């Protein structure tokens, strides 16, 4: 178990979701402590200026802007930063590991299984999953639980439109998502750093909110592997770990799904994981965040600035429980 000491947390101690794992391994005397040290303090774009070296993915042309309430006029994070400063533990726990190693992922061909409480379950090739829908661009803030953030122009389709096609039953109270498991393609899965597959979930009213995007691209191109090619979730009012990458399974179900990070440490990574500046992470404050590329920190916004859209989903619930 991680050790929680009641004392002020220095900002340089806020590193990554894996720190407590590395601490645990350190305490057990196992390997991994060195990785933990190497990770500390990796923050700004200053430290991650290298481009991934991989060729840029194919362009997605003529994608219209989505509705105005799903945009922001804040400047997007640079493409170089958004594609070289990543969390994707299937390729390692370092911020630059995904860009360096995700070349082994083969996003084509790709199929997605839709299972559980739906009238029309099945495994669907990605092209078929997308075919009836019109791609759109949305510029969203992405706030990682580690207290950094980005602004990313995504390309995708609303999850609700896809779910509807498979005809959810009245028992569909939650939606569970899973990432691919294949250690050949995802070498980080040879280590038990997390319990693979990476799993996430949403309550059905959250999953069917029009803000939730199934993304296939960013910055006018297909998703780079390190950002979750070929299909990832984007839930902009929740901490980034909810936005699961490289999805192969979507399951509608009656019970709340077990999710990877809350299974690892429920106290530090809850099921709801709603961005809230007033609910501290056990090891650091969430009041402020570093926008990658900026030097100064900025205040974190309740529900990452999407309270007008999704605040009503949580009316009457205890805010402390919503992490
Ligand atoms: N399968 C999978 N999905 C994942 C992760 C991961 O390690 N594995 N990391 C999450 C975390 S912690 C964040 S902050 C975002 C980062 O997305 P980005 O690298 O595209 O910015 O992806 C999320 N999705
Ligand atoms: Mo994150």
């Amino acid at each position: 178990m991680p050790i929680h000491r009641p004392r002020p947390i220095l900002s340089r101690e806020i590193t990554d979701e894996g720190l407590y794992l590395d601490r645990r391994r350190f305490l057990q005397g196992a390997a991994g402590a060195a990785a933990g040290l190497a990770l500390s303090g990796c923050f700004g774009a200053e430290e991650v200026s290298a481009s991934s070296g991989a060729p840029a993915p194919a362009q997605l042309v003529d994608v219209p802007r989505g509705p105005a309430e799903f945009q922001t006029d804040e400047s997007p994070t640079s493409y170089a930063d958004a594609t070289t400063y990543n969390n994707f533990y299937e390729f390692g726990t370092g911020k630059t590991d995904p860009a360096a190693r995700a070349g082994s992922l083969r996003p084509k061909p790709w199929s997605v299984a839709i299972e559980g409480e739906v009238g029309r379950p099945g495994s669907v090739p990605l092209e078929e999953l997308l075919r009836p829908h019109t791609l759109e661009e949305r510029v969203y803030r992405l706030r990682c639980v580690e207290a950094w953030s980005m602004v990313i122009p995504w390309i995708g389709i609303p999850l609700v439109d896809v779910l509807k096609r498979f005809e959810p039953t009245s028992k569909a109270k939650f939606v569970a998502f899973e990432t691919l498991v294949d250690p050949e393609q995802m070498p980080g899965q040879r280590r038990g750093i997390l319990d693979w597959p990476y799993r996430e979930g949403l309550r059905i009213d959250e999953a069917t909110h029009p803000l939730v995007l199934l993304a296939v691209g960013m910055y006018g191109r297909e998703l780079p592997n390190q950002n979750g090619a070929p299909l990832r979730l984007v839930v902009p009012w929740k901490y980034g770990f909810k936005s699961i990458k490289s999805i192969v399974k979507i399951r509608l179900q009656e019970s709340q799904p077990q999710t990877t990070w809350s299974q690892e440490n429920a106290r530090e990574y809850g099921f709801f994981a709603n961005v809230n500046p007033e609910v501290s992470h056990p090891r650091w404050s969430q009041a402020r965040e570093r926008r990658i590329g900026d030097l100064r920190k900025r205040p974190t916004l309740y529900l990452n600035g999407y309270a007008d859209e999704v605040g009503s989903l949580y009316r009457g619930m205890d805010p402390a429980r919503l992490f």
Side-chain angles (χ1 to χ4, degrees):
M1 287 297 288
I3 294 167
H4 305 284
R5 278 176 295 167
R7 61 175 175 79
I9 302 283
L10 305 172
S11 69
R12 66 169 182 272
E13 294 183 80
I14 305 170
T15 54
D16 65 277
E17 285 122 313
L19 180 59
Y20 92 92
L21 292 170
D22 291 315
R23 275 194 183 143
R24 186 176 67 189
R25 277 173 190 116
F26 181 76
L27 292 169
Q28 289 168 345
L37 292 174
L39 284 165
S40 329
C42 293
F43 269 120
E46 322 80 78
E47 289 144 293
V48 195
S49 51
S51 181
S52 81
Q59 276 189 291
L60 294 165
V61 290
D62 296 331
V63 178
R65 273 290 178 99
E69 66 266 37
F70 305 146
Q71 309 296 336
T72 169
D73 45 24
E74 294 167 85
S75 318
T77 300
S78 76
Y79 182 81
D81 283 345
T83 57
T84 56
Y85 188 90
N86 301 103
N87 276 333
F88 201 169
Y89 279 20
E90 285 84 342
F91 298 100
T93 55
K95 289 287 180 284
T96 57
D97 289 342
R101 299 181 187 162
S104 50
L105 176 66
R106 295 187 303 272
K108 286 175 193 174
W110 196 268
S111 292
V112 182
I114 317 278
E115 299 181 351
E117 293 294 341
V118 284
R120 301 172 55 243
S123 175
V124 188
L126 182 60
E127 304 73 55
E128 244 175 74
L129 190 77
L130 301 175
R131 190 170 294 128
H133 305 283
T134 308
L135 295 178
E136 61 184 63
E137 183 174 62
R138 298 182 177 194
V139 185
Y140 283 163
R141 291 173 290 279
L142 173 79
R143 171 59 157 83
C144 177
V145 72
E146 297 161 358
W148 54 263
S149 63
M150 298 191 187
V151 174
I152 299 184
W154 301 106
I155 290 171
I157 53 185
L159 175 65
V160 59
D161 295 349
V162 173
L163 293 180
K164 270 186 195 153
R165 274 168 58 209
F166 294 88
E167 298 168 8
T169 74
S170 59
K171 286 187 183 161
K173 301 280 175 20
F174 292 89
V175 186
F177 304 86
E178 284 185 16
T179 295
L180 176 71
V181 187
D182 182 352
E184 305 264 300
Q185 294 187 63
M186 298 180 148
Q189 292 178 334
R190 296 206 178 98
R191 291 175 63 208
I193 189 95
L194 290 175
D195 181 32
W196 316 113
Y198 193 103
R199 283 158 289 122
E200 259 309 331
L202 295 169
R203 216 168 55 186
I204 193 76
D205 59 337
E206 300 178 314
T208 54
H209 191 281
L211 261 180
V212 180
L213 204 64
L214 265 181
V216 297
M218 58 195 264
Y219 297 85
R221 296 176 179 276
E222 291 180 354
L223 284 175
N225 288 357
Q226 61 267 36
N227 294 90
L231 184 74
R232 59 109 33 105
L233 194 67
V234 184
V235 191
W237 72 93
K238 293 180 179 281
Y239 291 114
F241 64 86
K242 299 294 291 183
S243 292
I244 181 173
K245 296 176 169 181
S246 304
I247 295 167
V248 294
K249 191 184 284 188
I250 300 176
R251 187 182 168 82
L252 290 91
Q253 56 188 61
E254 191 158 24
S255 57
Q256 181 175 308
Q258 181 61 272
T259 60
T260 300
W261 275 110
S262 57
Q263 178 183 318
E264 286 292 339
N265 189 336
R267 213 170 100 76
E268 301 204 354
Y269 310 105
F271 176 80
F272 282 98
N274 287 332
V275 175
N276 190 339
E278 286 170 15
V279 177
S280 295
H281 184 278
R283 289 186 277 120
W284 58 81
S285 163
Q286 294 290 24
R288 289 151 65 73
E289 67 197 57
R290 188 185 300 278
R291 180 67 51 86
I292 298 298
D294 288 359
L295 293 175
R296 292 179 164 280
K297 291 192 176 182
R298 64 178 64 213
T300 285
L301 305 175
Y302 178 58
L303 297 174
N304 203 22
Y306 299 98
D308 285 351
E309 286 79 16
V310 293
S312 62
L313 297 178
Y314 308 107
R315 211 149 275 157
M317 287 182 70
D318 172 7
R321 261 208 60 217
L322 293 173
F323 178 72

